[in-house]
């Protein structure tokens, strides 16, 4: 099998050349039909005029290892008045695989502003993340573009004289199962994230505010990417702009109330059923399985067990030594010391656990720059 | 001579072509409006052809595709239902659909579909049929919460009572009005697939006659173990083996009922299409297996292709980890306990004996403590959400 990997690696640049021009046949992104469909998956996009500025086929990940099948990478630009206000990088498979496409490294990182692991087992992956990104742009010509698709996009920008800042705010998601995957990262020009004028350029709010908005927006985006992966986005679906006007939870409940009102209007819900369901949206119902795994239950079990151990140690020590003082001393000290040791032992296992470490593969594709 | 024959042939062909075109247009004009009305309410077929009859691979219900075995399917009933259990959250309505396939003047097979209109965010749990213990087919394909995917089935007889779901009464009315007959007994093969947001439950009701229903399996071996089908197909099933699959077959090597063999094989072949449809990725060219009764009897076993399992046993991994963790804790706990006891007692052999005594006692006590705890505070069972049924177990 090793020689096959080598072959794929050797052929990858050729594939890129062959596909660079002819890839557009497999999709429809005229800009007016939303959501865009790319290789059998719906791509949710914020409003605006998106252009496909680069695409390339790759057979390796960013470390040069072969991936389970050919992967298309696509770059979309949203250009307004000569400036790129946002761009999207997409990686997705052309044909189904059998053993999954791995997780993105960002899914398992703990140092990003937000990384929600979500689902990550046996080839099923669904996670989202957000971080500022320093992209390689025409303003930084000393670095080569990180991927052929991004190189094409930069060439396009140079040709049209579009300006791109170096710092972007990125939020992305990876969704995959054993057969298919999509990795999509939305990059926003910080100057375009003002709430007053959606998408237009203005002085950016503070970095902390921007990141908080992005973290909120990430939840909406992740749900949309997940639905799009399963082709369940409604016709005409448009992602909101992450300008602070769309709060994750609020948007969802607003959407759902609207959808319920529509069903009521169509006569598909009775008024009584409508009231009941609106009640479900507005009042969070507790997770039916939550309390069994709650931390206080684990703590109660541990404390209860310590009591049982202390009692048995006390009885046995007294039987062996015949001295209440010695037995009490042994019991007291060993309960305290062993309790402390046990706590430390648990913490060590939690931190360096070789068993729960996720051994499912990580497959990353070239990013447009460094994640700050 | 040759040209005149050609001419007259051409004339005849022209007349035939024009008249058949007129007939076709007329027929469409008469029938399509009636179909379109029914169709408008009921989701659309996956291809552009608008008709009430589907010869295509799938029907879309609430944005989820459901694969249809080859044949001409007619929609006979459609309705919105609501759940009595509000657990999953605001799902809108459960869209329910009945499709019929005719064979002569009789209903040859039918399909019942349930799907949620609005996504929720806590998963859909399972249904009663995927956790049943009486004679039935159960194959668990995915049980990583919140995802769930299971196949179930067995012999059933249809409901005709007034309390049956409305969309089914509607279908029964259609059947009665057309003078069709609906047999009583069916071989049902169902799938329940759900993720955090959406659920689809589909039941394929197939003619029971070609497949012997006699000799029901013995009660104990009724749940067909995934590994059991390996004895036909050659490779052991892995993924499909839920916890309740374990055991029984060694103690009861009795031959399972023919319908169980047929249904389990069919479920394994249909599974891929169900999954693809749930992801909205069924293509028009997709190969959907024909219904079991339409296969010649000889092909049942030959087509048995159980999936090879790839996952290692998660329980074993957990056990391994627990043992290693226990050993590492015992080394720490015993050495600290021994040190403390020695410091208090001042005699090493007494301290060591006492340490052995306490270690053994606490070891035994722990098992009892753990069992007591599990009994007092058991893990809550999986959320079960059931949809209305049009047939009951026979």
């Amino acid at each position: 099998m090793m020689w096959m990997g080598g072959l794929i690696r050797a052929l990858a640049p050729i594939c890129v050349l062959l596909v660079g021009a002819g890839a557009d046949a497999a999709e429809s992104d005229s800009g007016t039909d939303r959501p865009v469909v790319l290789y059998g998956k719906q791509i949710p996009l914020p409003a605006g005029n998106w252009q496909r500025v680069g695409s390339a086929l790759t057979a390796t990940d960013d470390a040069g290892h072969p991936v389970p099948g050919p992967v298309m990478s696509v770059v979309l630009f949203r250009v307004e008045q000569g400036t790129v206000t946002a761009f999207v990088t997409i990686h997705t498979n052309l044909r189904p695989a059998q053993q999954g496409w791995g997780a993105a490294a960002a899914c398992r990182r703990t140092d990003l502003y937000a990384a929600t692991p979500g689902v990550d087992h046996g080839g099923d992956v669904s996670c989202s993340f957000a971080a500022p990104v320093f992209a390689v742009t025409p303003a930084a010509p000393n670095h080569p573009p990180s991927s052929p698709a991004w190189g094409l996009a930069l060439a396009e920008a140079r040709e049209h004289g579009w300006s791109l800042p170096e710092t972007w705010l990125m939020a992305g998601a990876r969704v995959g199962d054993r057969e298919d995957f999509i990795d999509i990262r939305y990059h926003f020009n910080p100057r375009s994230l003002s709430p007053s004028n959606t998408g237009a350029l203005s002085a950016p709010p503070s970095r902390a505010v921007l990141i908080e908005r992005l973290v909120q927006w990430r939840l909406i985006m992740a749900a949309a990417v997940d639905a799009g992966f399963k082709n369940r986005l409604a016709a005409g679906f448009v992602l909101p702009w992450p300008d602070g006007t769309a709060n994750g939870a609020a948007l969802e409940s607003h959407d759902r109330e609207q959808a319920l009102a529509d069903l009521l209007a169509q006569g598909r819900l009775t008024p009584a059923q409508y009231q009941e369901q609106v009640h479900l949206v507005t009042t969070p119902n507790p997770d039916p399985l939550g309390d069994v795994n709650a931390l206080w239950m684990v703590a109660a079990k541990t404390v209860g067990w310590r009591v049982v151990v202390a009692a048995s140690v006390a009885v046995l020590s007294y039987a062996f030594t015949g001295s209440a003082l010695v037995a009490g001393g042994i019991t007291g000290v060993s309960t305290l010391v062993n309790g402390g040791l046990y706590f430390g032992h648990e913490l060590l296992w939690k931190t360096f656990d070789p068993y729960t470490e996720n051994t499912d593969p990580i497959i990353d594709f070239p990013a447009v720059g460094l994640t700050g | 001579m040759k040209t005149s024959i050609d001419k007259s042939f051409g004339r005849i062909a022209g007349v035939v072509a024009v008249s058949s075109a007129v007939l076709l247009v007329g027929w469409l004009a008469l029938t399509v409006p009636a179909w379109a009305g029914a169709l408008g309410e009921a989701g659309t077929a996956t291809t552009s052809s608008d008709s009430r009859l589907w010869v295509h691979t799938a029907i879309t219900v609430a944005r989820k595709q459901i694969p249809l075995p080859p044949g001409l399917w007619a929609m006979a009933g459609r309705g919105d239902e609501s759940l009595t259990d509000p657990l999953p959250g605001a799902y809108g309505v459960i869209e329910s659909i009945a499709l019929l396939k005719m064979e002569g003047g009789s209903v040859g097979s039918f399909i019942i579909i349930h799907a949620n209109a609005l996504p929720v965010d806590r998963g859909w749990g399972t249904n009663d049929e995927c956790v049943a213990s009486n004679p039935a087919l159960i194959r668990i394909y995915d049980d990583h919460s919140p995802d769930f995917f299971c196949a179930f089935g067995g012999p059933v007889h249809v409901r005709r009572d007034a309390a049956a779901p409305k969309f089914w009464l509607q279908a029964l009315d259609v059947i009665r009005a057309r003078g069709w007959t609906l047999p009583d007994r069916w071989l049902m093969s169902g799938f329940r697939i759900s993720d955090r947001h959406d659920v689809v439950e589909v039941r394929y009701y197939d003619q029971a006659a070609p497949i012997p229903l006699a000799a029901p399996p013995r009660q104990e071996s009724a749940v067909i173990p995934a590994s059991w089908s390996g004895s036909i197909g050659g490779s052991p099933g892995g993924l499909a083996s839920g916890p309740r699959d374990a055991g029984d077959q060694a103690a009861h090597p009795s031959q399972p009922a023919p319908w169980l063999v047929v249904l389990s094989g069919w479920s394994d072949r249909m599974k891929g299409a169900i999954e693809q449809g749930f992801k909205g990725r069924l293509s028009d060219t997709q190969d959907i297996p024909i219904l079991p009764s339409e296969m010649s009897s000889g092909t049942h076993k030959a087509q048995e292709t159980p999936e090879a399992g790839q996952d290692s046993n998660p329980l074993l991994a957990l056990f391994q980890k627990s043992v290693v963790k226990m050993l590492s804790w015992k080394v720490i706990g015993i050495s600290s306990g021994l040190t403390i006891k020695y410091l208090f007692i001042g005699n090493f052999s007494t301290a060591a004996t006492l340490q052995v005594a306490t270690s053994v006692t606490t070891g035994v006590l722990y098992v009892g403590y753990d069992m007591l705890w599990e009994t007092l505070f058991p893990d809550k069972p999986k959320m079960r959400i059931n949809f209305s049924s049009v047939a009951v177990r026979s």
Side-chain angles (χ1 to χ4, degrees):
Chain A
M1 288 311 281
M2 285 303 289
W3 67 270
M4 275 192 70
L7 187 69
I8 292 171
R9 223 168 299 179
L11 287 176
I14 304 170
C15 293
V16 168
L17 287 178
L18 287 175
V19 162
D24 296 54
E27 52 154 333
S28 63
D29 58 8
S30 61
T32 47
D33 346 317
R34 292 279 170 76
V36 168
V37 175
L38 202 62
Y39 304 102
K41 297 126 211 159
Q42 296 172 326
I43 314 290
L45 290 173
N49 189 21
W50 292 87
Q51 321 181 22
R52 183 169 177 162
V53 288
S55 19
L57 197 65
T58 176
T60 58
D61 67 4
D62 67 346
H65 301 302
V67 292
V71 167
M72 180 59 80
S73 66
V74 175
V75 180
L76 306 178
F77 273 7
R78 184 182 184 275
V79 186
E80 221 174 324
Q81 293 160 9
T83 302
V84 179
T85 51
F87 71 90
V88 173
T89 59
I90 301 162
H91 287 90
T92 189
N93 63 306
L94 297 185
R95 281 186 288 278
Q98 287 176 343
Q99 290 303 311
W101 294 85
C107 295
R108 297 193 195 145
R109 275 178 68 170
T110 50
D111 58 337
L112 298 180
Y113 280 98
T116 313
V119 178
D120 190 355
H121 59 74
D124 287 339
V125 175
S126 175
C127 84
S128 64
F129 38 84
V133 164
F134 306 100
V136 175
T137 65
N142 294 336
H143 301 279
S146 53
S147 75
W150 184 238
L152 290 171
L154 290 184
E156 195 85 1
R158 239 189 320 268
E159 192 182 311
H160 291 89
W162 296 329
S163 72
L164 289 93
E166 275 182 52
T167 310
W168 297 80
L169 289 165
M170 183 272 285
R174 166 79 71 108
V175 184
D177 55 27
R178 280 172 185 272
E179 293 170 328
D180 302 288
F181 88 99
I182 185 161
D183 187 304
I184 181 162
R185 291 162 200 231
Y186 302 82
H187 304 74
F188 296 97
N189 184 331
R191 295 174 60 86
S192 70
L193 294 181
S194 162
S196 56
N197 192 352
T198 297
L201 299 175
S202 59
S206 78
R207 183 183 159 109
V209 170
L210 287 178
I211 287 171
E212 179 53 31
R213 285 178 191 166
L214 200 67
V215 167
Q216 284 299 325
W217 179 81
R218 177 185 60 99
L219 300 172
I220 302 167
M221 175 274 293
V225 171
D226 205 65
F229 181 69
K230 292 164 182 165
N231 289 299
R232 279 179 219 154
L233 289 175
F237 179 87
V238 174
L239 264 180
W241 195 254
D243 53 10
T245 51
N247 167 282
L251 180 98
E252 175 137 315
S253 72
H254 169 76
D255 273 4
R256 202 156 303 182
E257 280 187 62
Q258 186 54 51
L260 289 171
D262 291 347
L263 287 171
L264 179 70
Q266 292 160 19
R268 295 178 62 183
L269 272 177
T270 66
Q273 287 167 346
Y274 171 76
Q275 287 304 332
E276 189 190 347
Q277 300 241 346
V278 168
H279 180 74
L280 284 176
V281 175
T282 46
T283 50
N285 55 338
D287 188 340
L289 300 181
D291 54 342
V292 174
N293 297 320
L295 203 61
W296 67 265
M297 284 287 282
V298 180
K301 191 177 174 186
T302 310
V303 170
W305 173 236
R306 273 296 124 199
V307 172
V308 175
V309 171
S312 82
V313 169
V315 170
L316 285 170
S317 303
Y318 185 72
F320 271 75
T321 61
S323 153
L325 191 69
V326 172
I330 290 177
T331 307
V333 172
S334 63
T335 300
L336 284 179
V337 171
N338 279 9
L341 284 175
Y342 187 80
F343 188 70
H345 183 252
E346 281 294 303
L347 281 187
L348 279 177
W349 267 90
K350 266 208 183 329
T351 318
F352 309 101
D353 186 347
Y355 288 90
T356 55
E357 192 182 347
N358 198 332
T359 52
D360 290 349
I362 284 184
I363 298 179
D364 254 346
F365 299 96
V368 295
L370 300 169
T371 303
Chain B
M1 189 61 194
K2 188 169 177 288
T3 47
S4 82
I5 289 175
D6 275 357
K7 265 184 192 165
S8 54
F9 182 75
R11 213 170 296 142
I12 293 165
V15 169
V16 169
V18 169
S19 54
S20 47
V22 168
L23 279 175
L24 182 69
V25 168
W27 177 71
L28 284 175
L30 284 175
T31 51
V32 162
W35 294 348
L39 187 79
E41 299 174 345
T44 51
T46 44
T47 66
S48 55
S49 136
D50 276 356
S51 85
R52 196 175 152 192
L53 303 172
W54 286 275
V55 282
H56 305 298
T57 48
I59 176 177
T60 302
V61 180
R63 292 195 206 124
K64 276 83 73 179
Q65 294 176 321
I66 289 93
L68 304 178
L72 207 58
W73 295 95
M75 180 148 62
R78 191 208 154 277
D80 290 320
E81 305 187 312
S82 68
L83 293 170
T84 46
D85 188 349
L87 256 187
Y91 55 85
V93 292
I94 304 296
E95 205 168 321
S96 306
I97 283 186
L99 301 174
L100 306 179
K101 190 163 94 172
M102 301 308 300
E103 211 160 277
S106 175
V107 177
S109 41
F110 66 98
I111 304 177
I112 302 293
I113 301 162
H114 301 279
N116 62 307
L118 303 183
V120 300
D121 51 16
R122 196 177 289 155
W124 288 84
T126 179
N127 66 3
D128 283 345
E129 280 153 298
C130 288
V131 293
S133 56
N134 47 344
L137 166 77
I138 297 177
R139 284 168 93 71
I140 310 284
Y141 294 121
D142 184 2
D143 196 7
H144 285 101
S145 178
D147 296 343
F148 186 75
F149 185 17
C150 150
F152 53 91
V156 294
H157 56 264
V158 292
R159 290 177 63 179
R160 295 169 202 267
D161 55 304
K166 262 192 201 144
F167 75 96
W168 179 241
L169 294 177
Q170 201 181 324
L172 289 178
D173 281 346
V174 169
I175 293 168
R176 204 173 305 121
R178 308 280 162 101
W180 296 333
T181 56
L182 178 73
D184 203 40
R185 298 202 75 196
W186 297 87
L187 202 49
M188 184 271 289
S189 174
F191 294 89
R192 163 81 164 225
I193 185 165
S194 61
D195 57 21
R196 189 182 294 283
H197 308 293
D198 293 282
V199 64
V200 164
E201 195 168 286
V202 53
R203 290 175 170 82
Y204 300 89
Y205 293 86
D206 192 16
Q207 290 173 60
I211 302 148
L213 291 181
R218 285 158 61 175
Q219 192 85 4
E220 297 84 354
S221 58
V223 174
I224 191 162
S227 54
W228 166 84
S229 54
S231 62
I232 296 172
S235 65
L239 258 187
S241 56
R244 72 187 74 87
D245 279 342
D248 289 344
Q249 78 265 35
H252 303 278
S254 67
Q255 195 67 17
W259 63 261
L260 204 50
V261 178
V262 171
L263 284 196
S264 71
W266 192 75
S267 298
D268 285 355
R269 282 193 302 282
M270 192 70 180
K271 155 184 190 275
I274 298 281
E275 223 171 353
Q276 289 296 318
F278 192 60
K279 287 191 286 176
R281 220 160 287 154
L282 275 176
S283 67
D284 284 346
T285 53
Q286 192 111 3
D287 206 15
I288 312 291
I290 55 173
L291 286 167
S293 68
E294 293 162 12
M295 297 188 282
S296 62
S297 58
T299 59
H300 287 151
K301 287 192 179 181
Q303 290 185 16
E304 191 81 22
T305 51
E307 292 218 334
Q310 277 93 24
D311 281 4
S312 61
N313 187 346
L315 201 65
L316 188 71
L318 186 67
F319 181 72
Q320 260 176 7
K321 177 189 162 178
S322 294
V323 167
V324 172
K325 204 173 157 186
M326 183 268 285
L327 287 177
S328 91
W329 168 240
K330 278 290 158 195
V331 169
I332 298 171
I334 288 176
S335 43
S336 107
L338 188 58
T339 312
I340 293 166
K341 289 176 183 76
Y342 176 69
L343 287 177
F344 273 88
I345 296 169
N347 177 333
F348 187 78
S349 69
T350 314
T353 322
L354 177 57
Q355 182 57 46
V356 170
T358 52
S359 291
V360 170
T361 318
T362 50
V364 173
L365 280 173
Y366 187 75
V367 175
Y369 177 78
D370 206 37
M371 285 168 67
L372 181 72
W373 190 272
E374 291 299 315
T375 317
L376 288 177
F377 311 103
D379 281 353
K380 285 206 181 150
K382 208 178 178 69
M383 170 164 79
R384 280 196 224 174
I385 295 167
N386 291 303
F387 303 117
S388 64
S389 77
V390 305
V392 290
R393 278 250 176 88
S394 35

